[in-house]
Amino acid sequence: MGAKEQHTFGAFEALANRVRTRRIRRWAAIESDFLRAVERFDTEYSRGKRDSGWYKSKARYFNEIALELVANASGKEIAGPVHRQSQLFHKIDIDICYPAEGDPITAAEVKALGTPPHPGNGNKARRGSSDLHKRVREVALTAIDIKAAYARPVSIKSFRAWVERTEPAYFSFWAIRTENQGDFESVRSILVGLRSYCNGVGAILYSPTTSNPMKYCIRKVPELKMDNALREMAQRTA
């Protein structure tokens, strides 16, 4: 049996290639272009031109772009996806990791949530907060699990202090379509809370302004600024 065909989308590929070849370091330099690519991507999906398998490639592209930004900002070769030792399980999947071999110093998980209306779903949107509790629990558990796997035994007097000083430093990056104000507020609150378990949390949150074609606006959350989390991860990639 041949290799499984990988879903592609030209706008995301061009953006990832530009980040790579131009050595772009800051999310702010590409945020508007990322949003335009998402608009085109979601418009095709909402018109029924693509299936759910293809739609999942959005997360893969977001992962690739985040990885390249960290690599450019740190000047180091960043790996991903990789398998690393787990305290609870034999191995766990890590989306972004440094170094490529040996004990990890920094690691990150990347998620894309929220789905526009689609004929296969009764032309209903799936809120960004719909699966968020489950995904956040997974990230929080992984952050603790991988630190426990590599940390030296210590007396933990402050959980937050232990998270901050224990390697690998663990980060999470999120691209989430929030359907309305209520959905946005739920997503914002949950992700801000996740910062207690991660060394940094960065997110791009966006909401629809029009449909067919799909248009989005950025929902700013200073506590979840992408460039802050990306910069912190790059700085800790020693």
Side-chain angles (χ1 to χ4, degrees):
M1 182 179 293
K4 184 178 180 180
E5 181 182 0
Q6 188 175 54
H7 296 290
T8 60
F9 189 67
F12 279 138
E13 291 178 354
L15 180 57
N17 185 63
R18 179 154 60 89
V19 172
R20 185 181 306 110
T21 58
R22 296 186 183 181
R23 308 293 295 171
I24 295 172
R25 299 184 176 191
R26 298 183 65 247
W27 175 263
I30 64 160
E31 183 175 74
S32 61
D33 294 320
F34 180 83
L35 193 66
R36 300 290 86 77
V38 170
E39 289 173 344
R40 292 170 60 185
F41 187 90
D42 281 11
T43 295
E44 286 203 21
Y45 182 71
S46 65
R47 289 175 176 173
K49 295 182 178 180
R50 307 284 186 167
D51 61 19
S52 59
W54 177 85
Y55 195 80
K56 292 178 181 177
S57 65
K58 179 195 289 186
R60 173 169 56 82
Y61 284 119
F62 181 47
N63 192 134
E64 182 179 353
I65 291 168
L67 187 154
E68 293 294 343
L69 288 169
V70 173
N72 294 343
S74 66
K76 303 291 179 63
E77 182 177 349
I78 310 297
V82 298
H83 301 294
R84 285 294 180 266
Q85 181 180 334
S86 163
Q87 181 71 14
L88 295 175
F89 312 101
H90 179 59
K91 295 285 184 180
I92 52 176
D93 297 324
I94 301 297
D95 294 326
I96 302 175
C97 185
Y98 176 83
E101 303 291 340
D103 292 355
I105 295 173
T106 59
E109 197 158 348
V110 182
K111 303 286 188 185
L113 302 175
T115 309
H118 183 266
N121 191 35
N123 287 315
K124 295 180 180 179
R126 185 166 183 80
R127 294 176 299 130
S129 58
S130 293
D131 295 323
L132 188 58
H133 284 89
K134 178 180 178 181
R135 302 307 174 202
V136 164
R137 285 196 297 268
E138 292 172 354
V139 171
L141 174 60
T142 301
I144 298 170
D145 186 27
I146 195 171
K147 287 176 183 288
Y150 292 96
R152 293 176 297 175
V154 295
S155 174
I156 300 176
K157 298 181 180 179
S158 164
F159 175 74
R160 183 58 198 163
W162 179 81
V163 168
E164 185 59 32
R165 69 172 181 260
T166 303
E167 291 185 348
Y170 202 81
F171 298 81
S172 66
F173 302 105
W174 305 77
I176 303 182
R177 181 189 191 275
T178 58
E179 181 64 18
N180 49 39
Q181 183 65 23
D183 192 25
F184 164 72
E185 292 294 347
S186 294
V187 169
R188 183 201 63 78
S189 177
I190 294 169
L191 291 186
V192 169
L194 179 61
R195 295 171 72 233
S196 296
Y197 295 83
C198 295
N199 295 91
V201 179
I204 172 172
L205 308 181
Y206 52 94
S207 296
T209 56
T210 65
S211 59
N212 199 24
M214 199 71 63
K215 294 294 181 183
Y216 293 123
C217 65
I218 298 291
R219 309 297 297 264
K220 298 291 186 181
V221 183
E223 305 98 314
L224 303 173
K225 192 173 181 180
M226 281 286 292
D227 272 323
N228 289 349
L230 288 165
R231 181 175 61 251
E232 177 67 16
M233 184 172 184
Q235 289 173 347
R236 297 187 67 150
T237 302

